[in-house]
């Protein structure tokens, strides 16, 4: 009996790539004493300062409880600061400090090397194509799932 050797599902390949990227990021950030969730938080705050813990958790794809620990750890290191926001109830907007920005610059350099290793062999223009494909897949994943009856 000849068993066909089908190609792996696209979702499997994407998940496999995610795991490989994450492992490389862990290794690249370790000398800087930064975890992937910490780097994600610093990166998000660089673009969107003043977010709350809950907003940071949603943008970092971790639980609110885990984000609380990440924020506390970075605040203890002087990399971020929280401020009072009377118009936001208990929420305390979070901002990068100068030390946080300096560390983020080092992290970005290390992550850039990882991305160069991973994507540096792509033909000119292919990284842009890859980004558009991934962004389209993300948009598709955000849409409500179709039920089995929808076909």
């Amino acid at each position: 009996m000849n068993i066909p050797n089908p190609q792996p599902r696209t979702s499997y390949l994407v998940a496999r790539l995610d795991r490989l990227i994450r492992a490389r990021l862990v290794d690249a950030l370790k000398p800087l004493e930064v975890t992937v969730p910490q780097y994600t938080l610093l990166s998000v705050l660089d673009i969107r300062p003043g977010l709350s813990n809950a907003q940071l958790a949603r943008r970092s794809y971790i639980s609110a409880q885990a984000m609380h620990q990440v924020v506390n750890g970075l605040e203890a290191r002087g990399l971020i600061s929280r401020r009072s926001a009377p118009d936001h109830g208990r929420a305390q907007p979070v901002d990068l400090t100068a030390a946080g920005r300096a560390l983020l610059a080092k992290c970005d350099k290390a992550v850039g090397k990882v991305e160069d290793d991973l994507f540096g062999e792509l033909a000119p223009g292919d990284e842009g194509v890859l980004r558009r494909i991934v962004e389209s897949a993300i948009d598709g994943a955000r849409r409500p799932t179709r039920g089995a009856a929808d076909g």
Side-chain angles (χ1 to χ4, degrees), residues 87-98:
D87 57 332
H88 285 76
R90 293 185 345 193
Q92 293 180 305
V94 181
D95 296 296
L96 286 176
T97 63

mmCIF file with all atom_site columns, all heavy atoms in Angstrom, residues 87-98:
data_model
loop_
_atom_site.group_PDB
_atom_site.id
_atom_site.type_symbol
_atom_site.label_atom_id
_atom_site.label_alt_id
_atom_site.label_comp_id
_atom_site.label_asym_id
_atom_site.label_entity_id
_atom_site.label_seq_id
_atom_site.pdbx_PDB_ins_code
_atom_site.Cartn_x
_atom_site.Cartn_y
_atom_site.Cartn_z
_atom_site.occupancy
_atom_site.B_iso_or_equiv
_atom_site.pdbx_formal_charge
_atom_site.auth_seq_id
_atom_site.auth_comp_id
_atom_site.auth_asym_id
_atom_site.auth_atom_id
_atom_site.pdbx_PDB_model_num
ATOM 1  N N   . ASP A 1 87 ? -8.731  60.216 35.394 1.00 0.00 ? 87 ASP A N   1
ATOM 2  C CA  . ASP A 1 87 ? -9.863  59.971 34.506 1.00 0.00 ? 87 ASP A CA  1
ATOM 3  C C   . ASP A 1 87 ? -9.972  58.510 34.056 1.00 0.00 ? 87 ASP A C   1
ATOM 4  O O   . ASP A 1 87 ? -10.864 58.161 33.312 1.00 0.00 ? 87 ASP A O   1
ATOM 5  C CB  . ASP A 1 87 ? -9.794  60.890 33.288 1.00 0.00 ? 87 ASP A CB  1
ATOM 6  C CG  . ASP A 1 87 ? -8.500  60.737 32.515 1.00 0.00 ? 87 ASP A CG  1
ATOM 7  O OD1 . ASP A 1 87 ? -7.472  60.382 33.121 1.00 0.00 ? 87 ASP A OD1 1
ATOM 8  O OD2 . ASP A 1 87 ? -8.518  60.981 31.290 1.00 0.00 ? 87 ASP A OD2 1
ATOM 9  N N   . HIS A 1 88 ? -9.057  57.646 34.512 1.00 0.00 ? 88 HIS A N   1
ATOM 10 C CA  . HIS A 1 88 ? -9.071  56.242 34.108 1.00 0.00 ? 88 HIS A CA  1
ATOM 11 C C   . HIS A 1 88 ? -9.307  55.285 35.277 1.00 0.00 ? 88 HIS A C   1
ATOM 12 O O   . HIS A 1 88 ? -8.934  54.125 35.211 1.00 0.00 ? 88 HIS A O   1
ATOM 13 C CB  . HIS A 1 88 ? -7.754  55.875 33.419 1.00 0.00 ? 88 HIS A CB  1
ATOM 14 C CG  . HIS A 1 88 ? -7.635  56.409 32.040 1.00 0.00 ? 88 HIS A CG  1
ATOM 15 N ND1 . HIS A 1 88 ? -7.356  57.724 31.784 1.00 0.00 ? 88 HIS A ND1 1
ATOM 16 C CD2 . HIS A 1 88 ? -7.775  55.822 30.832 1.00 0.00 ? 88 HIS A CD2 1
ATOM 17 C CE1 . HIS A 1 88 ? -7.314  57.920 30.489 1.00 0.00 ? 88 HIS A CE1 1
ATOM 18 N NE2 . HIS A 1 88 ? -7.567  56.781 29.888 1.00 0.00 ? 88 HIS A NE2 1
ATOM 19 N N   . GLY A 1 89 ? -9.894  55.737 36.351 1.00 0.00 ? 89 GLY A N   1
ATOM 20 C CA  . GLY A 1 89 ? -10.157 54.856 37.492 1.00 0.00 ? 89 GLY A CA  1
ATOM 21 C C   . GLY A 1 89 ? -8.873  54.328 38.082 1.00 0.00 ? 89 GLY A C   1
ATOM 22 O O   . GLY A 1 89 ? -7.970  55.078 38.420 1.00 0.00 ? 89 GLY A O   1
ATOM 23 N N   . ARG A 1 90 ? -8.786  52.991 38.187 1.00 0.00 ? 90 ARG A N   1
ATOM 24 C CA  . ARG A 1 90 ? -7.605  52.368 38.790 1.00 0.00 ? 90 ARG A CA  1
ATOM 25 C C   . ARG A 1 90 ? -6.458  52.195 37.803 1.00 0.00 ? 90 ARG A C   1
ATOM 26 O O   . ARG A 1 90 ? -5.347  51.857 38.194 1.00 0.00 ? 90 ARG A O   1
ATOM 27 C CB  . ARG A 1 90 ? -7.974  51.009 39.363 1.00 0.00 ? 90 ARG A CB  1
ATOM 28 C CG  . ARG A 1 90 ? -8.918  51.095 40.537 1.00 0.00 ? 90 ARG A CG  1
ATOM 29 C CD  . ARG A 1 90 ? -9.198  49.769 41.182 1.00 0.00 ? 90 ARG A CD  1
ATOM 30 N NE  . ARG A 1 90 ? -8.796  48.616 40.384 1.00 0.00 ? 90 ARG A NE  1
ATOM 31 C CZ  . ARG A 1 90 ? -9.154  47.378 40.629 1.00 0.00 ? 90 ARG A CZ  1
ATOM 32 N NH1 . ARG A 1 90 ? -9.934  47.123 41.649 1.00 0.00 ? 90 ARG A NH1 1
ATOM 33 N NH2 . ARG A 1 90 ? -8.748  46.390 39.879 1.00 0.00 ? 90 ARG A NH2 1
ATOM 34 N N   . ALA A 1 91 ? -6.718  52.367 36.516 1.00 0.00 ? 91 ALA A N   1
ATOM 35 C CA  . ALA A 1 91 ? -5.683  52.157 35.501 1.00 0.00 ? 91 ALA A CA  1
ATOM 36 C C   . ALA A 1 91 ? -4.542  53.139 35.697 1.00 0.00 ? 91 ALA A C   1
ATOM 37 O O   . ALA A 1 91 ? -4.751  54.311 35.998 1.00 0.00 ? 91 ALA A O   1
ATOM 38 C CB  . ALA A 1 91 ? -6.269  52.325 34.105 1.00 0.00 ? 91 ALA A CB  1
ATOM 39 N N   . GLN A 1 92 ? -3.328  52.621 35.562 1.00 0.00 ? 92 GLN A N   1
ATOM 40 C CA  . GLN A 1 92 ? -2.132  53.452 35.659 1.00 0.00 ? 92 GLN A CA  1
ATOM 41 C C   . GLN A 1 92 ? -1.383  53.361 34.330 1.00 0.00 ? 92 GLN A C   1
ATOM 42 O O   . GLN A 1 92 ? -0.771  52.335 34.031 1.00 0.00 ? 92 GLN A O   1
ATOM 43 C CB  . GLN A 1 92 ? -1.231  52.970 36.788 1.00 0.00 ? 92 GLN A CB  1
ATOM 44 C CG  . GLN A 1 92 ? -1.820  53.161 38.170 1.00 0.00 ? 92 GLN A CG  1
ATOM 45 C CD  . GLN A 1 92 ? -0.867  52.665 39.233 1.00 0.00 ? 92 GLN A CD  1
ATOM 46 O OE1 . GLN A 1 92 ? -0.433  51.526 39.199 1.00 0.00 ? 92 GLN A OE1 1
ATOM 47 N NE2 . GLN A 1 92 ? -0.538  53.537 40.163 1.00 0.00 ? 92 GLN A NE2 1
ATOM 48 N N   . PRO A 1 93 ? -1.438  54.421 33.537 1.00 0.00 ? 93 PRO A N   1
ATOM 49 C CA  . PRO A 1 93 ? -0.708  54.395 32.270 1.00 0.00 ? 93 PRO A CA  1
ATOM 50 C C   . PRO A 1 93 ? 0.775   54.111 32.493 1.00 0.00 ? 93 PRO A C   1
ATOM 51 O O   . PRO A 1 93 ? 1.367   54.562 33.467 1.00 0.00 ? 93 PRO A O   1
ATOM 52 C CB  . PRO A 1 93 ? -0.935  55.793 31.704 1.00 0.00 ? 93 PRO A CB  1
ATOM 53 C CG  . PRO A 1 93 ? -2.176  56.273 32.370 1.00 0.00 ? 93 PRO A CG  1
ATOM 54 C CD  . PRO A 1 93 ? -2.161  55.664 33.738 1.00 0.00 ? 93 PRO A CD  1
ATOM 55 N N   . VAL A 1 94 ? 1.361   53.365 31.570 1.00 0.00 ? 94 VAL A N   1
ATOM 56 C CA  . VAL A 1 94 ? 2.755   52.943 31.668 1.00 0.00 ? 94 VAL A CA  1
ATOM 57 C C   . VAL A 1 94 ? 3.548   53.623 30.556 1.00 0.00 ? 94 VAL A C   1
ATOM 58 O O   . VAL A 1 94 ? 3.086   53.716 29.415 1.00 0.00 ? 94 VAL A O   1
ATOM 59 C CB  . VAL A 1 94 ? 2.867   51.411 31.548 1.00 0.00 ? 94 VAL A CB  1
ATOM 60 C CG1 . VAL A 1 94 ? 4.308   50.948 31.676 1.00 0.00 ? 94 VAL A CG1 1
ATOM 61 C CG2 . VAL A 1 94 ? 1.995   50.715 32.586 1.00 0.00 ? 94 VAL A CG2 1
ATOM 62 N N   . ASP A 1 95 ? 4.742   54.094 30.902 1.00 0.00 ? 95 ASP A N   1
ATOM 63 C CA  . ASP A 1 95 ? 5.613   54.761 29.935 1.00 0.00 ? 95 ASP A CA  1
ATOM 64 C C   . ASP A 1 95 ? 7.029   54.213 30.051 1.00 0.00 ? 95 ASP A C   1
ATOM 65 O O   . ASP A 1 95 ? 7.451   53.745 31.109 1.00 0.00 ? 95 ASP A O   1
ATOM 66 C CB  . ASP A 1 95 ? 5.653   56.273 30.203 1.00 0.00 ? 95 ASP A CB  1
ATOM 67 C CG  . ASP A 1 95 ? 4.300   56.922 30.000 1.00 0.00 ? 95 ASP A CG  1
ATOM 68 O OD1 . ASP A 1 95 ? 3.804   56.904 28.862 1.00 0.00 ? 95 ASP A OD1 1
ATOM 69 O OD2 . ASP A 1 95 ? 3.750   57.443 30.988 1.00 0.00 ? 95 ASP A OD2 1
ATOM 70 N N   . LEU A 1 96 ? 7.773   54.304 28.952 1.00 0.00 ? 96 LEU A N   1
ATOM 71 C CA  . LEU A 1 96 ? 9.193   53.963 28.977 1.00 0.00 ? 96 LEU A CA  1
ATOM 72 C C   . LEU A 1 96 ? 9.968   55.064 29.688 1.00 0.00 ? 96 LEU A C   1
ATOM 73 O O   . LEU A 1 96 ? 9.630   56.237 29.575 1.00 0.00 ? 96 LEU A O   1
ATOM 74 C CB  . LEU A 1 96 ? 9.742   53.859 27.555 1.00 0.00 ? 96 LEU A CB  1
ATOM 75 C CG  . LEU A 1 96 ? 9.388   52.650 26.722 1.00 0.00 ? 96 LEU A CG  1
ATOM 76 C CD1 . LEU A 1 96 ? 9.968   52.799 25.318 1.00 0.00 ? 96 LEU A CD1 1
ATOM 77 C CD2 . LEU A 1 96 ? 9.908   51.388 27.368 1.00 0.00 ? 96 LEU A CD2 1
ATOM 78 N N   . THR A 1 97 ? 10.999  54.679 30.393 1.00 0.00 ? 97 THR A N   1
ATOM 79 C CA  . THR A 1 97 ? 11.945  55.643 30.951 1.00 0.00 ? 97 THR A CA  1
ATOM 80 C C   . THR A 1 97 ? 13.103  55.768 29.951 1.00 0.00 ? 97 THR A C   1
ATOM 81 O O   . THR A 1 97 ? 13.180  55.019 28.967 1.00 0.00 ? 97 THR A O   1
ATOM 82 C CB  . THR A 1 97 ? 12.496  55.166 32.301 1.00 0.00 ? 97 THR A CB  1
ATOM 83 O OG1 . THR A 1 97 ? 13.220  53.947 32.085 1.00 0.00 ? 97 THR A OG1 1
ATOM 84 C CG2 . THR A 1 97 ? 11.378  54.950 33.314 1.00 0.00 ? 97 THR A CG2 1
ATOM 85 N N   . ALA A 1 98 ? 14.008  56.685 30.210 1.00 0.00 ? 98 ALA A N   1
ATOM 86 C CA  . ALA A 1 98 ? 15.193  56.822 29.354 1.00 0.00 ? 98 ALA A CA  1
ATOM 87 C C   . ALA A 1 98 ? 15.993  55.523 29.347 1.00 0.00 ? 98 ALA A C   1
ATOM 88 O O   . ALA A 1 98 ? 16.472  55.083 28.296 1.00 0.00 ? 98 ALA A O   1
ATOM 89 C CB  . ALA A 1 98 ? 16.055  57.987 29.838 1.00 0.00 ? 98 ALA A CB  1
#
